[in-house]
PDB file of all heavy atoms in Angstrom:
ATOM      1  N   THR A   9      -5.979   6.086  13.847  1.00  0.00           N
ATOM      2  CA  THR A   9      -7.371   6.421  14.005  1.00  0.00           C
ATOM      3  C   THR A   9      -8.067   6.253  12.547  1.00  0.00           C
ATOM      4  O   THR A   9      -9.245   6.002  12.448  1.00  0.00           O
ATOM      5  CB  THR A   9      -7.577   7.937  14.381  1.00  0.00           C
ATOM      6  OG1 THR A   9      -6.903   8.710  13.460  1.00  0.00           O
ATOM      7  CG2 THR A   9      -7.127   8.150  15.747  1.00  0.00           C
ATOM      8  N   VAL A  10      -7.286   6.342  11.458  1.00  0.00           N
ATOM      9  CA  VAL A  10      -7.786   6.151  10.147  1.00  0.00           C
ATOM     10  C   VAL A  10      -8.297   4.610   9.968  1.00  0.00           C
ATOM     11  O   VAL A  10      -9.324   4.344   9.495  1.00  0.00           O
ATOM     12  CB  VAL A  10      -6.782   6.521   9.052  1.00  0.00           C
ATOM     13  CG1 VAL A  10      -7.352   6.094   7.664  1.00  0.00           C
ATOM     14  CG2 VAL A  10      -6.409   7.955   9.184  1.00  0.00           C
ATOM     15  N   LYS A  16     -14.604   0.701  11.440  1.00  0.00           N
ATOM     16  CA  LYS A  16     -15.966   0.999  11.922  1.00  0.00           C
ATOM     17  C   LYS A  16     -16.954   1.249  10.787  1.00  0.00           C
ATOM     18  O   LYS A  16     -18.120   0.849  10.881  1.00  0.00           O
ATOM     19  CB  LYS A  16     -15.806   2.124  12.946  1.00  0.00           C
ATOM     20  CG  LYS A  16     -17.246   2.363  13.678  1.00  0.00           C
ATOM     21  CD  LYS A  16     -16.932   3.445  14.710  1.00  0.00           C
ATOM     22  CE  LYS A  16     -18.320   3.699  15.396  1.00  0.00           C
ATOM     23  NZ  LYS A  16     -18.111   4.792  16.469  1.00  0.00           N
ATOM     24  N   LEU A  23     -18.834  -8.893   4.338  1.00  0.00           N
ATOM     25  CA  LEU A  23     -19.441 -10.154   4.254  1.00  0.00           C
ATOM     26  C   LEU A  23     -20.654 -10.046   3.218  1.00  0.00           C
ATOM     27  O   LEU A  23     -20.765 -10.957   2.424  1.00  0.00           O
ATOM     28  CB  LEU A  23     -19.969 -10.680   5.524  1.00  0.00           C
ATOM     29  CG  LEU A  23     -20.696 -12.077   5.604  1.00  0.00           C
ATOM     30  CD1 LEU A  23     -19.712 -13.146   4.958  1.00  0.00           C
ATOM     31  CD2 LEU A  23     -21.254 -12.346   6.882  1.00  0.00           C
ATOM     32  N   LEU A  27     -21.003 -12.154  -0.267  1.00  0.00           N
ATOM     33  CA  LEU A  27     -22.158 -12.991  -0.595  1.00  0.00           C
ATOM     34  C   LEU A  27     -22.856 -12.534  -1.878  1.00  0.00           C
ATOM     35  O   LEU A  27     -23.329 -13.352  -2.683  1.00  0.00           O
ATOM     36  CB  LEU A  27     -23.263 -12.852   0.594  1.00  0.00           C
ATOM     37  CG  LEU A  27     -22.801 -13.676   1.715  1.00  0.00           C
ATOM     38  CD1 LEU A  27     -23.788 -13.417   2.905  1.00  0.00           C
ATOM     39  CD2 LEU A  27     -22.650 -15.085   1.532  1.00  0.00           C
ATOM     40  N   PRO A  31     -21.879 -16.163  -4.521  1.00  0.00           N
ATOM     41  CA  PRO A  31     -23.082 -16.851  -4.951  1.00  0.00           C
ATOM     42  C   PRO A  31     -24.082 -16.042  -5.730  1.00  0.00           C
ATOM     43  O   PRO A  31     -24.752 -16.558  -6.619  1.00  0.00           O
ATOM     44  CB  PRO A  31     -23.777 -17.310  -3.639  1.00  0.00           C
ATOM     45  CG  PRO A  31     -23.126 -16.590  -2.501  1.00  0.00           C
ATOM     46  CD  PRO A  31     -21.846 -15.977  -3.075  1.00  0.00           C
ATOM     47  N   GLY A  32     -24.124 -14.796  -5.464  1.00  0.00           N
ATOM     48  CA  GLY A  32     -25.105 -13.863  -6.122  1.00  0.00           C
ATOM     49  C   GLY A  32     -24.642 -13.778  -7.595  1.00  0.00           C
ATOM     50  O   GLY A  32     -25.470 -13.780  -8.572  1.00  0.00           O
ATOM     51  N   VAL A  35     -25.530 -17.028  -9.470  1.00  0.00           N
ATOM     52  CA  VAL A  35     -26.933 -17.133  -9.793  1.00  0.00           C
ATOM     53  C   VAL A  35     -27.284 -16.234 -10.974  1.00  0.00           C
ATOM     54  O   VAL A  35     -27.984 -16.642 -11.914  1.00  0.00           O
ATOM     55  CB  VAL A  35     -27.872 -16.684  -8.570  1.00  0.00           C
ATOM     56  CG1 VAL A  35     -29.263 -16.593  -9.031  1.00  0.00           C
ATOM     57  CG2 VAL A  35     -27.691 -17.779  -7.477  1.00  0.00           C
ATOM     58  N   ALA A  37     -25.262 -15.057 -13.396  1.00  0.00           N
ATOM     59  CA  ALA A  37     -24.676 -15.589 -14.590  1.00  0.00           C
ATOM     60  C   ALA A  37     -25.441 -16.791 -14.996  1.00  0.00           C
ATOM     61  O   ALA A  37     -25.595 -17.042 -16.246  1.00  0.00           O
ATOM     62  CB  ALA A  37     -23.183 -15.959 -14.296  1.00  0.00           C
ATOM     63  N   LEU A  39     -28.609 -17.542 -14.549  1.00  0.00           N
ATOM     64  CA  LEU A  39     -29.822 -17.130 -15.146  1.00  0.00           C
ATOM     65  C   LEU A  39     -29.646 -16.495 -16.625  1.00  0.00           C
ATOM     66  O   LEU A  39     -30.343 -16.743 -17.522  1.00  0.00           O
ATOM     67  CB  LEU A  39     -30.549 -16.021 -14.332  1.00  0.00           C
ATOM     68  CG  LEU A  39     -31.279 -16.579 -13.089  1.00  0.00           C
ATOM     69  CD1 LEU A  39     -31.758 -15.431 -12.213  1.00  0.00           C
ATOM     70  CD2 LEU A  39     -32.531 -17.389 -13.591  1.00  0.00           C
ATOM     71  N   VAL A  41     -27.128 -17.242 -18.708  1.00  0.00           N
ATOM     72  CA  VAL A  41     -26.756 -18.381 -19.610  1.00  0.00           C
ATOM     73  C   VAL A  41     -28.045 -19.133 -19.942  1.00  0.00           C
ATOM     74  O   VAL A  41     -28.129 -19.664 -21.062  1.00  0.00           O
ATOM     75  CB  VAL A  41     -25.704 -19.214 -18.869  1.00  0.00           C
ATOM     76  CG1 VAL A  41     -25.497 -20.555 -19.623  1.00  0.00           C
ATOM     77  CG2 VAL A  41     -24.388 -18.398 -18.937  1.00  0.00           C
ATOM     78  N   LEU A  44     -29.921 -17.198 -22.485  1.00  0.00           N
ATOM     79  CA  LEU A  44     -29.198 -17.233 -23.642  1.00  0.00           C
ATOM     80  C   LEU A  44     -29.286 -18.612 -24.311  1.00  0.00           C
ATOM     81  O   LEU A  44     -29.581 -18.721 -25.546  1.00  0.00           O
ATOM     82  CB  LEU A  44     -27.831 -16.907 -23.433  1.00  0.00           C
ATOM     83  CG  LEU A  44     -26.841 -16.773 -24.671  1.00  0.00           C
ATOM     84  CD1 LEU A  44     -27.210 -15.606 -25.514  1.00  0.00           C
ATOM     85  CD2 LEU A  44     -25.333 -16.651 -24.221  1.00  0.00           C
ATOM     86  N   ALA A  45     -29.231 -19.742 -23.629  1.00  0.00           N
ATOM     87  CA  ALA A  45     -29.242 -21.079 -24.280  1.00  0.00           C
ATOM     88  C   ALA A  45     -30.608 -21.322 -24.770  1.00  0.00           C
ATOM     89  O   ALA A  45     -30.731 -21.982 -25.822  1.00  0.00           O
ATOM     90  CB  ALA A  45     -28.956 -22.043 -23.221  1.00  0.00           C
ATOM     91  N   ARG A  46     -31.677 -20.850 -24.207  1.00  0.00           N
ATOM     92  CA  ARG A  46     -33.025 -21.021 -24.773  1.00  0.00           C
ATOM     93  C   ARG A  46     -33.391 -20.094 -25.846  1.00  0.00           C
ATOM     94  O   ARG A  46     -34.200 -20.497 -26.720  1.00  0.00           O
ATOM     95  CB  ARG A  46     -34.033 -20.881 -23.569  1.00  0.00           C
ATOM     96  CG  ARG A  46     -34.033 -21.851 -22.651  1.00  0.00           C
ATOM     97  CD  ARG A  46     -35.184 -21.942 -21.596  1.00  0.00           C
ATOM     98  NE  ARG A  46     -36.383 -21.963 -22.261  1.00  0.00           N
ATOM     99  CZ  ARG A  46     -37.074 -23.210 -22.559  1.00  0.00           C
ATOM    100  NH1 ARG A  46     -36.359 -24.258 -22.368  1.00  0.00           N
ATOM    101  NH2 ARG A  46     -38.184 -23.232 -23.159  1.00  0.00           N
ATOM    102  N   VAL A  56     -26.286 -24.509 -26.162  1.00  0.00           N
ATOM    103  CA  VAL A  56     -25.957 -24.700 -24.807  1.00  0.00           C
ATOM    104  C   VAL A  56     -24.354 -24.666 -24.637  1.00  0.00           C
ATOM    105  O   VAL A  56     -23.926 -24.041 -23.651  1.00  0.00           O
ATOM    106  CB  VAL A  56     -26.254 -26.178 -24.360  1.00  0.00           C
ATOM    107  CG1 VAL A  56     -25.583 -26.677 -23.067  1.00  0.00           C
ATOM    108  CG2 VAL A  56     -27.808 -26.240 -24.287  1.00  0.00           C
ATOM    109  N   LEU A  61     -19.776 -21.293 -22.551  1.00  0.00           N
ATOM    110  CA  LEU A  61     -18.543 -20.464 -22.826  1.00  0.00           C
ATOM    111  C   LEU A  61     -18.781 -19.078 -22.363  1.00  0.00           C
ATOM    112  O   LEU A  61     -17.862 -18.540 -21.792  1.00  0.00           O
ATOM    113  CB  LEU A  61     -18.161 -20.666 -24.296  1.00  0.00           C
ATOM    114  CG  LEU A  61     -17.686 -22.065 -24.739  1.00  0.00           C
ATOM    115  CD1 LEU A  61     -17.409 -21.972 -26.237  1.00  0.00           C
ATOM    116  CD2 LEU A  61     -16.335 -22.322 -24.033  1.00  0.00           C
ATOM    117  N   VAL A  62     -19.911 -18.553 -22.665  1.00  0.00           N
ATOM    118  CA  VAL A  62     -20.220 -17.165 -22.185  1.00  0.00           C
ATOM    119  C   VAL A  62     -20.294 -17.050 -20.716  1.00  0.00           C
ATOM    120  O   VAL A  62     -19.949 -16.043 -20.076  1.00  0.00           O
ATOM    121  CB  VAL A  62     -21.587 -16.754 -22.806  1.00  0.00           C
ATOM    122  CG1 VAL A  62     -21.961 -15.358 -22.192  1.00  0.00           C
ATOM    123  CG2 VAL A  62     -21.363 -16.512 -24.314  1.00  0.00           C
ATOM    124  N   ALA A  65     -16.799 -16.178 -18.878  1.00  0.00           N
ATOM    125  CA  ALA A  65     -16.416 -14.830 -19.035  1.00  0.00           C
ATOM    126  C   ALA A  65     -17.407 -13.933 -18.215  1.00  0.00           C
ATOM    127  O   ALA A  65     -16.896 -12.936 -17.551  1.00  0.00           O
ATOM    128  CB  ALA A  65     -16.435 -14.456 -20.473  1.00  0.00           C
ATOM    129  N   LEU A  66     -18.681 -14.215 -18.201  1.00  0.00           N
ATOM    130  CA  LEU A  66     -19.710 -13.409 -17.516  1.00  0.00           C
ATOM    131  C   LEU A  66     -19.457 -13.508 -15.989  1.00  0.00           C
ATOM    132  O   LEU A  66     -19.493 -12.400 -15.361  1.00  0.00           O
ATOM    133  CB  LEU A  66     -21.053 -13.801 -17.921  1.00  0.00           C
ATOM    134  CG  LEU A  66     -22.207 -12.958 -17.314  1.00  0.00           C
ATOM    135  CD1 LEU A  66     -22.132 -11.537 -17.614  1.00  0.00           C
ATOM    136  CD2 LEU A  66     -23.439 -13.583 -17.695  1.00  0.00           C
ATOM    137  N   VAL A  69     -16.536 -11.398 -15.008  1.00  0.00           N
ATOM    138  CA  VAL A  69     -16.679  -9.918 -15.084  1.00  0.00           C
ATOM    139  C   VAL A  69     -17.623  -9.502 -13.960  1.00  0.00           C
ATOM    140  O   VAL A  69     -17.398  -8.565 -13.271  1.00  0.00           O
ATOM    141  CB  VAL A  69     -17.453  -9.559 -16.368  1.00  0.00           C
ATOM    142  CG1 VAL A  69     -17.974  -8.151 -16.322  1.00  0.00           C
ATOM    143  CG2 VAL A  69     -16.319  -9.803 -17.512  1.00  0.00           C
ATOM    144  N   ALA A  74     -18.379  -6.857  -8.835  1.00  0.00           N
ATOM    145  CA  ALA A  74     -18.898  -6.896  -7.512  1.00  0.00           C
ATOM    146  C   ALA A  74     -17.895  -6.571  -6.393  1.00  0.00           C
ATOM    147  O   ALA A  74     -18.250  -5.857  -5.525  1.00  0.00           O
ATOM    148  CB  ALA A  74     -19.563  -8.349  -7.113  1.00  0.00           C
ATOM    149  N   ALA A  76     -15.506  -4.654  -6.909  1.00  0.00           N
ATOM    150  CA  ALA A  76     -14.951  -3.252  -7.177  1.00  0.00           C
ATOM    151  C   ALA A  76     -16.090  -2.202  -6.792  1.00  0.00           C
ATOM    152  O   ALA A  76     -15.843  -1.003  -6.754  1.00  0.00           O
ATOM    153  CB  ALA A  76     -14.537  -3.012  -8.533  1.00  0.00           C
ATOM    154  N   TRP A  84     -26.445  -5.109  -4.443  1.00  0.00           N
ATOM    155  CA  TRP A  84     -27.534  -6.027  -4.110  1.00  0.00           C
ATOM    156  C   TRP A  84     -28.746  -5.724  -4.919  1.00  0.00           C
ATOM    157  O   TRP A  84     -29.492  -6.441  -5.493  1.00  0.00           O
ATOM    158  CB  TRP A  84     -27.829  -6.039  -2.757  1.00  0.00           C
ATOM    159  CG  TRP A  84     -26.954  -7.084  -2.052  1.00  0.00           C
ATOM    160  CD1 TRP A  84     -25.880  -6.802  -1.185  1.00  0.00           C
ATOM    161  CD2 TRP A  84     -27.156  -8.487  -1.976  1.00  0.00           C
ATOM    162  NE1 TRP A  84     -25.345  -7.948  -0.668  1.00  0.00           N
ATOM    163  CE2 TRP A  84     -26.161  -9.059  -1.170  1.00  0.00           C
ATOM    164  CE3 TRP A  84     -28.020  -9.445  -2.666  1.00  0.00           C
ATOM    165  CZ2 TRP A  84     -25.927 -10.413  -0.930  1.00  0.00           C
ATOM    166  CZ3 TRP A  84     -27.799 -10.773  -2.393  1.00  0.00           C
ATOM    167  CH2 TRP A  84     -26.824 -11.324  -1.595  1.00  0.00           C
ATOM    168  N   GLY A  88     -30.247  -7.943  -7.830  1.00  0.00           N
ATOM    169  CA  GLY A  88     -31.639  -8.517  -7.562  1.00  0.00           C
ATOM    170  C   GLY A  88     -32.546  -8.039  -8.710  1.00  0.00           C
ATOM    171  O   GLY A  88     -33.374  -8.907  -9.249  1.00  0.00           O
ATOM    172  N   SER A  91     -31.599 -10.113 -11.851  1.00  0.00           N
ATOM    173  CA  SER A  91     -32.009 -11.515 -11.676  1.00  0.00           C
ATOM    174  C   SER A  91     -33.464 -11.644 -11.847  1.00  0.00           C
ATOM    175  O   SER A  91     -33.946 -12.563 -12.444  1.00  0.00           O
ATOM    176  CB  SER A  91     -31.504 -11.939 -10.312  1.00  0.00           C
ATOM    177  OG  SER A  91     -30.181 -11.964 -10.155  1.00  0.00           O
ATOM    178  N   VAL A  93     -35.450  -9.729 -13.623  1.00  0.00           N
ATOM    179  CA  VAL A  93     -35.764  -9.581 -15.041  1.00  0.00           C
ATOM    180  C   VAL A  93     -35.451 -10.931 -15.785  1.00  0.00           C
ATOM    181  O   VAL A  93     -36.218 -11.410 -16.631  1.00  0.00           O
ATOM    182  CB  VAL A  93     -35.100  -8.424 -15.703  1.00  0.00           C
ATOM    183  CG1 VAL A  93     -35.126  -8.444 -17.203  1.00  0.00           C
ATOM    184  CG2 VAL A  93     -35.633  -7.068 -15.060  1.00  0.00           C
ATOM    185  N   ILE A  97     -37.937 -13.673 -17.840  1.00  0.00           N
ATOM    186  CA  ILE A  97     -37.632 -13.926 -19.198  1.00  0.00           C
ATOM    187  C   ILE A  97     -37.527 -15.441 -19.426  1.00  0.00           C
ATOM    188  O   ILE A  97     -38.131 -16.011 -20.195  1.00  0.00           O
ATOM    189  CB  ILE A  97     -36.421 -13.191 -19.823  1.00  0.00           C
ATOM    190  CG1 ILE A  97     -36.685 -11.661 -19.951  1.00  0.00           C
ATOM    191  CG2 ILE A  97     -35.922 -13.840 -21.109  1.00  0.00           C
ATOM    192  CD1 ILE A  97     -35.374 -10.935 -20.171  1.00  0.00           C
ATOM    193  N   VAL A 100     -41.094 -16.991 -18.857  1.00  0.00           N
ATOM    194  CA  VAL A 100     -41.894 -16.860 -20.053  1.00  0.00           C
ATOM    195  C   VAL A 100     -41.408 -17.751 -21.176  1.00  0.00           C
ATOM    196  O   VAL A 100     -42.267 -18.374 -21.883  1.00  0.00           O
ATOM    197  CB  VAL A 100     -41.957 -15.339 -20.439  1.00  0.00           C
ATOM    198  CG1 VAL A 100     -42.540 -15.224 -21.783  1.00  0.00           C
ATOM    199  CG2 VAL A 100     -42.668 -14.535 -19.415  1.00  0.00           C
ATOM    200  N   GLY A 105     -42.674 -21.698 -24.737  1.00  0.00           N
ATOM    201  CA  GLY A 105     -41.860 -22.467 -25.764  1.00  0.00           C
ATOM    202  C   GLY A 105     -40.797 -21.729 -26.416  1.00  0.00           C
ATOM    203  O   GLY A 105     -40.897 -21.643 -27.623  1.00  0.00           O
TER     204      GLY A 105
END
Side-chain angles (χ1 to χ4, degrees):
T9 58
V10 173
K16 187 175 181 180
L23 177 62
L27 287 175
V35 168
L39 281 170
V41 165
L44 184 64
R46 290 192 58 86
V56 170
L61 290 172
V62 169
L66 181 61
V69 168
W84 273 103
S91 295
V93 169
I97 291 170
V100 168

